[in-house]
């Protein structure tokens, strides 16, 4: 047995768990531990909370308990006492397109709260996390920043790609197939065949959607072991990484390396560079700002725009490209992309990581594998000349909005607004073929407060693309998009409609101009008319006056601030 912390060394480490379980007066506390079979040695060792995002709602997290047990073995081998617990989660792909999606972003905060509550209530000395579907990784990393204990995370892995008619497909292709079916481009039998094949194994959605994007962020921020993010859920390497992740938490405890020692401003800039180079999900903008907030780091939309102007998009992955996360893993995964950016000077090699080493030290011996150029192209011929995500500002979004330019074939659009006060209204209009080429579909009152919960609009965006309108129709919303979204789709418009943002004042027929190259989004309405509309506007009644969504709406901030919760005191 390899132990990083010896019996002799245990007495010299300041462990907060001893306040809960040490001394004569804590005999009743220890009685509960004895009932579970813990020994004196277990009780004297560092307690490690092992947070596992698990439920049976979908394949994304169905396998995480097994990985949690492997992580526990690593902790025990290294001399710690692991205590596993589960966090709640929402499977975004299943919640998509109806009221349930309002709980998706809310779940991020509940996950962070669950980890904080469990770890603090029981006096654990460190936390090790197994994440999976979209909001689990961000929620867990937010908790790490908040707790500021020795911390580590491992992503539970992607599903393998599906295959249909000789090509790789992922669940995003099925969403677009719904639109294709509605316009008569494919048959019901073809749609059903894709449904049966798109998600063949356990693991999160296969493209570079939100879960896989945030998996990249775990390594980019330095909170995960190098190489741990990209292996698929079903390969043996995932179990090995879980075991090594458990072992790796113990040197962090011994050396007093806490989450905020890693989550520095430079680490977030590294993560943004990786996001821009990969063309990952727009949701990462929200999540990185939220994690930074919990870690006490001032990160803003301006940081994304500044870095995005310098770092080109060089990764060929779905939804804008061809390949899945499993393919990315085959050519070396996150370390290969990080090394490429490090060599180019786009990331800070001196940032600290959970290995106890710097980024530069971790990447010293990294070499790409055969076929890497199919997925990670050379800087001399980037897929997009700037970052995959663009921040837009203008009269329609004074605080900002985001668009994934790398997943759109157009960068400019001017058209008349077709305004809808909910996602449901917009989806019906699209499916009834009421949206025409040149339109700008506007979906409002779906923001953090107005939704509440900032629903993703994949049903709508995929239907537009599936109907063949992806090059000629734009969409603008104060809600969010799935990482599977492609096309000229602008989200996170702030201020949102519910607080009286300009998007609340738009009317059918108003002209909207989107210029991703210039970073502008404007409504062409003169100021006098805008002032008249402001005086006439009245905030609608809350859609959910009681319950969890009402609690969330009362505390949530703007999307430009990461939609974090700040209670009024």
């Amino acid at each position: 047995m390899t132990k990083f912390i010896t019996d002799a060394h245990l007495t010299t480490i300041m462990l907060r768990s001893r306040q809960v379980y040490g001394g004569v007066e804590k005999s009743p506390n220890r009685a509960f531990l004895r009932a579970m079979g813990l020994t004196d040695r277990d009780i004297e060792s560092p307690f490690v909370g092992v947070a596992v995002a698990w439920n049976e709602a979908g394949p994304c997290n169905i396998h995480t308990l097994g990985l949690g047990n492997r992580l526990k073995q690593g902790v025990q081998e290294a001399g710690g006492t692991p205590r596993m617990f589960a966090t709640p989660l929402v499977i975004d792909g299943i919640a998509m397109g109806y009221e349930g999606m309002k709980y998706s972003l809310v779940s991020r905060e509940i996950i962070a709260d669950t980890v904080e509550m469990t770890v603090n209530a029981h006096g654990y000395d460190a936390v090790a996390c197994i994440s999976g579907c979209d909001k689990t990784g961000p929620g867990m990393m937010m908790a790490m920043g908040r707790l500021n204990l020795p911390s580590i995370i491992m992503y539970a892995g992607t599903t393998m790609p599906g295959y249909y008619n000789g090509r790789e497909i992922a669940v995003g292709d099925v969403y677009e197939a719904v639109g294709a079916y509605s316009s008569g481009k494919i048959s019901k039998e073809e749609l059903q065949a894709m449904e049966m094949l798109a998600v063949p194994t356990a693991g999160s959605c296969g493209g570079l959607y939100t879960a896989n994007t945030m998996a990249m962020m775990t390594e980019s921020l330095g909170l995960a072991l190098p190489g741990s993010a990209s292996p698929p859920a079903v390969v043996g390497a995932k179990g090995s990484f879980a075991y090594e992740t458990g072992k790796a938490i113990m040197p962090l405890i011994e050396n007093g390396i806490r989450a905020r020692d890693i989550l520095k401003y430079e680490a977030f800039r590294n993560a943004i560079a990786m996001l821009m180079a990969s063309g990952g999900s727009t949701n990462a903008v929200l999540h990185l700002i939220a994690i930074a907030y919990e870690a006490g780091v001032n990160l803003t939309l301006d940081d994304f725009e500044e870095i995005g102007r310098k770092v080109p998009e060089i990764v060929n992955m779905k939804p804008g490209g061809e390949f899945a996360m499993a393919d990315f893993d085959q050519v070396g995964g996150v370390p290969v992309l990080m090394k490429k950016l490090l060599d180019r000077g786009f990331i800070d090699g001196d940032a600290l990581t959970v290995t106890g080493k710097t980024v530069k030290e971790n990447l010293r011996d990294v070499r790409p594998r055969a076929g890497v150029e199919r997925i990670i192209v050379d800087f001399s011929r980037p897929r997009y000349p700037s970052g995959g995500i663009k921040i837009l500002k203008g009269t329609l979004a004074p605080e900002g909005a985001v668009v994934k330019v790398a997943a759109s074939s157009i960068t400019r659009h001017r058209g008349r607004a077709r305004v809808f006060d909910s996602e449901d209204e917009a989806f019906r209009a699209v499916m009834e073929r009421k949206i025409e080429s040149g339109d700008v579909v506007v979906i409002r009152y779906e923001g953090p407060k107005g939704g509440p919960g900032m629903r993703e609009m994949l049903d709508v965006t995929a239907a537009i693309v599936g109907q063949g309108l992806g090059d000629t129709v734009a969409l603008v919303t104060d809600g969010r998009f799935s990482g599977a979204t492609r096309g000229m789709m602008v989200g996170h418009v702030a201020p949102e409609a519910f607080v009286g943002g300009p998007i609340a004042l738009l009317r059918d027929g108003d002209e909207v101009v989107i210029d991703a190259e210039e970073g502008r989004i404007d409504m062409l309405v003169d100021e006098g008319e805008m002032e008249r509309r402001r005086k006439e506007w009245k905030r609608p009644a809350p859609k959910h006056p009681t319950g969890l969504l009402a609690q969330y709406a009362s505390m949530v901030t703007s999307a430009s601030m990461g939609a974090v919760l700040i209670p009024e005191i």
Side-chain angles (χ1 to χ4, degrees):
M1 179 184 294
T2 301
K3 290 185 179 180
F4 290 105
I5 300 179
T6 65
D7 292 339
H9 198 156
L10 274 173
T11 59
T12 67
I13 301 176
M14 299 297 293
L15 298 176
R16 72 172 190 164
S17 59
R18 291 191 175 130
Q19 299 174 30
V20 183
Y21 306 113
V24 173
E25 69 279 9
K26 298 301 182 182
S27 183
N29 305 47
R30 292 193 296 276
F32 290 101
L33 303 184
R34 306 291 187 191
M36 296 182 288
L38 270 65
T39 66
D40 287 344
R41 178 66 175 79
D42 296 326
I43 296 168
E44 292 166 0
S45 298
F47 278 74
V48 178
V50 178
V52 179
W54 176 84
N55 69 21
E56 292 184 334
C60 316
N61 292 68
I62 194 68
H63 61 301
T64 55
L65 288 179
L67 293 173
N69 282 320
R70 284 290 285 152
L71 192 152
K72 284 179 60 179
Q73 290 175 6
V75 174
Q76 288 170 325
E77 284 287 324
T81 300
R83 308 313 295 159
M84 190 161 73
F85 62 95
T87 72
L89 66 122
V90 169
I91 304 295
D92 282 18
I94 291 177
M96 200 76 67
Y98 90 114
E99 286 286 291
M101 193 58 189
K102 293 182 177 181
Y103 291 90
S104 169
L105 190 58
V106 176
S107 75
R108 184 189 73 178
E109 315 307 314
I110 295 175
I111 291 162
D113 291 348
T114 299
V115 175
E116 176 199 346
M117 175 189 71
T118 307
V119 170
N120 275 343
H122 303 103
Y124 297 156
D125 301 297
V127 60
C129 299
I130 300 285
S131 68
C133 197
D134 294 11
K135 306 307 176 293
T136 60
M140 288 170 163
M141 289 187 282
M142 287 169 67
M144 290 175 178
R146 189 184 299 174
L147 291 165
N148 195 28
L149 295 171
S151 304
I152 195 167
I153 189 169
M154 191 196 83
Y155 173 57
T158 179
T159 183
M160 297 296 288
Y163 291 90
Y164 176 71
N165 285 347
R167 68 182 180 93
E168 282 190 359
I169 63 169
V171 73
D173 297 291
V174 185
Y175 281 99
E176 291 182 10
V178 172
Y181 171 71
S182 73
S183 59
K185 293 185 176 183
I186 64 171
S187 68
K188 187 175 182 179
E189 290 72 26
E190 290 173 302
L191 175 59
Q192 186 176 28
M194 294 182 69
E195 171 191 328
M196 300 293 287
L197 297 169
V199 187
T201 71
S204 298
C205 300
L208 191 53
Y209 310 151
T210 303
N212 283 330
T213 298
M214 293 311 299
M216 283 191 178
M217 298 300 99
T218 65
E219 288 191 44
S220 306
L221 287 167
L223 290 174
L225 293 182
S228 65
S230 62
V234 294
V235 303
K238 213 68 193 181
S240 298
F241 270 117
Y243 175 77
E244 294 300 329
T245 296
K247 288 176 64 176
I249 191 68
M250 303 310 293
L252 295 176
I253 297 171
E254 182 174 15
N255 294 310
I257 298 175
R258 299 171 180 265
R260 292 190 182 188
D261 296 324
I262 294 170
L263 291 174
K264 300 290 190 182
Y265 181 61
E266 294 74 21
F268 286 98
R269 290 183 65 86
N270 287 350
I272 294 171
M274 286 286 287
L275 174 65
M276 294 300 174
S278 64
S281 169
T282 52
N283 284 308
V285 177
L286 273 180
H287 299 327
L288 288 173
I289 292 174
I291 297 164
Y293 169 80
E294 297 290 1
V297 173
N298 183 27
L299 195 71
T300 71
L301 292 176
D302 292 339
D303 291 298
F304 289 83
E305 184 59 17
E306 177 213 333
I307 295 169
R309 285 196 297 266
K310 301 173 185 175
V311 181
E313 198 271 310
I314 58 172
V315 174
N316 180 17
M317 289 176 65
K318 292 177 178 293
E322 304 171 72
F323 296 100
M325 189 70 157
D327 303 306
F328 183 64
D329 181 61
Q330 288 297 308
V331 299
V334 174
V336 170
L337 180 57
M338 287 191 76
K339 182 67 159 57
K340 198 172 183 70
L341 294 176
L342 176 67
D343 290 345
R344 193 77 172 191
F346 288 137
I347 63 175
D348 186 339
D350 294 326
L352 182 65
T353 74
V354 290
T355 65
K357 300 177 182 178
T358 64
V359 168
K360 181 166 53 182
E361 289 170 328
N362 286 342
L363 299 177
R364 180 167 292 141
D365 298 323
V366 169
R367 299 289 182 273
R369 300 173 193 164
V372 66
E373 66 281 349
R374 296 179 307 143
I375 301 173
I376 305 175
V377 303
D378 192 74
F379 284 112
S380 63
R381 46 184 180 83
R383 287 179 50 78
Y384 195 78
S386 60
I389 291 175
K390 188 76 176 175
I391 305 301
L392 309 180
K393 291 186 178 180
T395 57
L396 187 51
E399 290 181 13
V402 300
V403 61
K404 186 190 288 189
V405 287
S408 175
S409 60
I410 59 173
T411 57
R412 293 187 175 95
H413 184 89
R414 179 171 180 163
R416 64 190 184 98
R418 294 292 310 280
V419 181
F420 303 93
D421 286 347
S422 73
E423 176 190 5
D424 312 272
E425 293 176 20
F427 186 63
R428 283 195 297 271
V430 173
M431 295 301 284
E432 291 169 5
R433 309 301 304 279
K434 294 181 179 179
I435 302 302
E436 301 175 358
S437 179
D439 285 347
V440 178
V441 177
V442 177
I443 305 176
R444 63 191 180 190
Y445 297 108
E446 292 284 6
K449 285 185 177 293
M454 210 177 178
R455 281 197 283 185
E456 293 180 359
M457 308 289 171
L458 183 57
D459 276 7
V460 181
T461 62
I464 290 171
V465 172
Q467 289 179 2
L469 297 172
D471 296 339
T472 59
V473 167
L475 189 149
V476 176
T477 180
D478 52 9
R480 297 182 296 127
F481 296 123
S482 162
T485 294
R486 60 192 180 103
M488 179 55 79
M489 312 297 177
V490 181
H492 308 193
V493 169
E496 63 174 291
F498 191 76
V499 301
I503 191 172
L505 309 180
L506 263 178
R507 295 181 180 175
D508 277 344
D510 288 344
E511 277 200 287
V512 174
V513 178
I514 304 166
D515 190 332
E517 294 185 15
E518 295 296 324
R520 296 288 305 177
I521 180 167
D522 294 298
M523 49 191 291
L524 303 185
V525 180
D526 70 67
E527 186 52 39
E529 174 62 19
M530 286 291 287
E531 188 57 35
R532 283 190 291 273
R533 294 182 189 181
R534 284 192 193 97
K535 292 177 180 178
E536 294 173 0
W537 178 80
K538 293 181 180 180
R539 175 181 294 177
K543 297 174 186 174
H544 297 268
T546 62
L548 176 59
L549 294 178
Q551 296 169 34
Y552 178 85
S554 71
M555 294 188 288
V556 70
T557 60
S558 168
S560 65
M561 297 174 63
V564 296
L565 302 187
I566 301 179
E568 294 183 7
I569 300 176

